[in-house]
Amino acid sequence: MLGEFVSTPASRELIHPRSLEGDEIVCHFYTAGMGKFRLRVATSEDVAGIRGLIDASVRGLQAGDYSAAQIEGALATVFTVDSQLIVDGTYFVAFAEDGELAGWGGWSFRKTLYGGDHQIEKIASERLDALVDAAKIRAIFVHPKFARMGLGSLILEAAESAAMERGFSRFEMGSTLTGVTLYTLKGYREVSRVLVPVGGGEEIEVVRMVKEIHHS
């Protein structure tokens, strides 16, 4: 899948220390009207809920950047669940205080930059070398109900932290047009744009962005 589906003003963010408890990450992320979100590693049992969240996120937050035909095509191809990443244990699901599924996303140590199980382009499943390659930031979706509450930034932080624990110091993503502003604020820079086929003669524009962590 592609990059972020919500733009969150950096001035509203206040991240408190998070703790890792087994496969669950307790993230205390406070914004106006929100207490905290809880993240854990996604499992196959989450797939049905994730599919519904993707549909709501794309239809609710992407209409200003892609046409109706592009959205319908993307929901059937690239905006789909990548089950390999769930198997790899590199995806997170995020829940609101009341237990409602609010968002999901993560990272990958494989070469595929974007897409899902039903994408038209070939999936590149080869593993990356943390010493020379950039970890891929993948498929960050936020339900419109929780947009602009900092959740997209929180998932991104969790993905970057997990990748760094595996030895990666560079990140790469295929961002939707909607996510470029947020990712730029988070230190990513645009390097190119590509047109991704989504069926029915339609394509969507995707922005390749990169970021490096400089250790002091």
Side-chain angles (χ1 to χ4, degrees):
M1 239 320 305
L2 309 183
E4 162 70 332
F5 296 96
V6 57
S7 178
T8 306
S11 59
R12 295 185 61 194
E13 296 177 9
L14 177 59
I15 302 177
H16 293 265
R18 68 171 186 266
S19 59
L20 181 61
E21 301 175 356
D23 286 338
E24 189 170 85
I25 304 171
V26 181
C27 301
H28 302 281
F29 191 99
Y30 295 93
T31 59
M34 291 301 298
K36 65 181 179 182
F37 291 105
R38 184 177 295 269
L39 274 66
R40 66 164 169 78
V41 175
T43 71
S44 59
E45 296 179 355
D46 297 311
V47 169
I50 291 169
R51 286 173 178 157
L53 187 149
I54 291 174
D55 188 273
S57 179
V58 173
R59 295 185 189 281
L61 300 174
Q62 295 293 298
D65 293 298
Y66 300 111
S67 70
Q70 287 175 316
I71 286 175
E72 292 301 324
L75 283 170
T77 55
V78 293
F79 291 171
T80 54
V81 176
D82 187 337
S83 57
Q84 180 62 64
L85 300 178
I86 295 179
V87 172
D88 289 340
T90 58
Y91 264 27
F92 308 114
V93 282
F95 297 90
E97 281 191 295
D98 62 1
E100 182 177 356
L101 181 62
W104 88 301
W107 71 285
S108 177
F109 51 75
R110 300 183 187 276
K111 289 186 177 181
T112 296
L113 184 60
Y114 53 78
D117 291 345
H118 302 294
Q119 69 185 61
I120 295 174
E121 296 176 298
K122 182 180 178 181
I123 294 176
S125 60
E126 298 88 350
R127 288 175 175 259
L128 301 169
D129 183 344
L131 296 179
V132 297
D133 297 319
K136 311 307 180 188
I137 301 299
R138 299 286 309 277
I140 299 179
F141 291 91
V142 171
H143 192 285
K145 180 178 178 180
F146 301 100
R148 299 172 182 84
M149 293 181 178
L151 180 54
S153 297
L154 183 61
I155 297 172
L156 174 62
E157 179 199 3
E160 290 178 340
S161 296
M164 285 189 288
E165 288 176 1
R166 296 285 289 270
F168 289 91
S169 60
R170 297 172 54 234
F171 309 114
E172 180 182 17
M173 68 171 64
S175 174
T176 60
L177 297 177
T178 311
V180 171
T181 299
L182 170 64
Y183 289 132
T184 299
L185 289 172
K186 297 302 178 181
Y188 287 81
R189 60 181 177 84
E190 177 181 338
V191 294
S192 64
R193 298 196 174 204
V194 296
L195 293 176
V196 178
V198 295
E202 296 289 340
E203 299 174 314
I204 61 170
E205 188 173 4
V206 173
V207 183
R208 180 171 167 257
M209 306 185 77
V210 297
K211 175 181 178 179
E212 292 190 18
I213 301 298
H214 298 285
H215 300 285
S216 56

